[in-house]
Amino acid sequence: MSYRELRWYFVAHREDRAAFQAYLAKRRERSPRVITTVDDPDFDVKIQTAICHQMAQHQK
């Protein structure tokens, strides 16, 4: 089931706990990972590295 189909199913069947857990799992897969936190002393370096990595991925 696609993310969109699962989301619509869950909205229509909110009592279905298995559907809710599947929806959350798919949502986590789609969410970007946490690169750093605001109070990290290497914040700028980590952000710049992540941007460069993402740009390189899109150029392939």
Side-chain angles (χ1 to χ4, degrees):
M1 190 178 286
S2 73
Y3 174 77
R4 175 180 253 162
E5 291 168 331
L6 188 53
R7 183 181 60 187
W8 283 110
Y9 177 85
F10 173 66
V11 167
H13 303 91
R14 290 185 186 271
E15 72 287 346
D16 188 338
R17 292 289 177 202
F20 178 62
Q21 293 301 319
Y23 170 74
L24 289 179
K26 284 223 185 236
R27 186 175 172 107
R28 270 189 236 93
E29 289 172 9
R30 295 171 52 116
S31 298
R33 64 183 181 86
V34 175
I35 298 167
T36 188
T37 59
V38 176
D39 58 346
D40 187 337
D42 296 325
F43 178 85
D44 290 335
V45 172
K46 289 179 180 179
I47 294 296
Q48 289 175 356
T49 301
I51 291 169
C52 289
H53 178 71
Q54 190 173 20
M55 289 174 64
Q57 291 295 321
H58 287 296
Q59 290 177 353
K60 289 182 180 181

